[in-house]
Amino acid sequence: EAGVTQFPSHSVIEKGQTVTLRCDPISGHDNLYWYRRVMGKEIKFLLHFVKESKQDESGMPNNRFLAERTGGTYSTLKVQPAELEDSGVYFCASSPFWKLMDEQYFGPGTRLTVT
Amino acid sequence: AQSVAQPEDQVNVAEGNPLTVKCTYSVSGNPYLFWYVQYPNRGLQFLLKYITGDNLVKGSYGFEAEFNKSQTSFHLKKPSALVSDSALYFCAVRGDNYGQNFVFGPGTRLSVLP
């Protein structure tokens, strides 16, 4: 089966611009997660979808970040307007509904550079 | 609050020698523990997990990890390192209470020298 895919693999934008990241989870996976790794630090949880519903968005840094998962398939994460501190690698992960407490399957990440 | 520590930023080991990548954790409730590996330009790849049962768990590529409840540790080990094991390794934990999310450590870069 195809793994989790993310697009783009790398994005370079200027401060103040808008960027939209996309994640396609493994087909049939109801759980979808977004994470971020900034400046070589730990990977931090951003939010969790179950199908199209936001289950937990406690990790979202501020209201410049908007995540959507219309239809419960792919998800987008929009950053508007981008700031320098948003630079980092954004990972998406998915898992089947019955594996809520179990391992997650990660995509390759999107490296975002804000200049 | 949940937390994970990986005390070593970098671990160097000669090919053929045993390797250990350390991880300690703090969590509410019983821990679910995971190791992931990231190869260059790739996503995080699941290696192994401890949920319950035997303290020694075996995973992919000959890796294993030992859960030590008293020391709150979950060190990753391999008896004989390969150059191809060189990568970034992340330890992660979550509690067994519903609603708790994965917490990752900062990662340890493993370099296996030929």
Side-chain angles (χ1 to χ4, degrees):
Chain A
E1 66 182 3
V4 177
T5 57
Q6 293 186 245
F7 182 83
S9 58
H10 194 181
S11 179
V12 181
I13 61 172
E14 293 183 355
K15 176 182 172 180
Q17 289 186 322
T18 298
V19 64
T20 300
L21 314 181
R22 174 172 170 144
C23 168
D24 285 78
I26 293 172
S27 178
H29 281 193
D30 289 335
N31 292 307
L32 187 149
Y33 306 84
W34 284 98
Y35 294 88
R36 177 172 73 170
R37 186 173 191 237
V38 173
M39 289 291 291
K41 295 185 178 178
E42 66 272 15
I43 299 167
K44 287 199 170 181
F45 167 81
L46 295 179
L47 87 159
H48 170 206
F49 283 99
V50 177
K51 297 185 179 180
E52 67 275 11
S53 299
K54 291 177 185 175
Q55 185 74 18
D56 183 350
E57 52 185 331
S58 61
M60 295 287 264
N62 51 61
N63 59 10
R64 295 186 292 103
F65 289 74
L66 176 64
E68 295 181 321
R69 192 183 183 195
T70 307
T73 54
Y74 71 91
S75 174
T76 58
L77 180 65
K78 180 190 286 188
V79 185
Q80 179 182 30
E83 298 289 345
L84 297 179
E85 63 264 26
D86 300 333
S87 296
V89 180
Y90 290 76
F91 291 103
C92 176
S94 72
S95 68
F97 180 75
W98 62 88
K99 282 194 148 185
L100 178 63
M101 303 300 286
D102 219 320
E103 72 264 25
Q104 299 170 11
Y105 302 87
F106 281 78
T110 293
R111 181 174 296 277
L112 175 65
T113 302
V114 183
T115 62
Chain B
Q2 300 179 139
S3 66
V4 176
Q6 292 181 242
E8 300 153 320
D9 293 335
Q10 173 93 30
V11 170
N12 297 321
V13 64
E15 187 175 28
N17 282 3
L19 70 86
T20 299
V21 182
K22 295 180 180 178
C23 171
T24 57
Y25 66 89
S26 173
V27 70
S28 307
N30 294 312
Y32 288 14
L33 293 152
F34 304 83
W35 275 102
Y36 283 85
V37 58
Q38 185 182 20
Y39 298 103
N41 301 314
R42 304 287 295 276
L44 275 72
Q45 188 173 332
F46 170 72
L47 271 182
L48 51 78
K49 66 184 176 186
Y50 171 82
I51 303 295
T52 186
D54 271 346
N55 289 344
L56 183 65
V57 293
K58 296 186 183 297
S60 307
Y61 312 120
F63 283 94
E64 58 189 29
E66 185 166 12
F67 169 60
N68 187 317
K69 187 173 183 178
S70 63
Q71 296 185 3
T72 61
S73 67
F74 190 56
H75 301 330
L76 181 70
K77 299 182 180 184
K78 187 172 182 180
S80 178
L82 300 173
V83 173
S84 57
D85 293 330
S86 298
L88 189 56
Y89 291 80
F90 291 95
C91 181
V93 68
R94 69 186 308 170
D96 63 351
N97 296 324
Y98 180 79
Q100 294 191 45
N101 294 299
F102 268 29
V103 174
F104 283 86
T108 297
R109 185 163 298 282
L110 173 68
S111 291
V112 181
L113 310 173

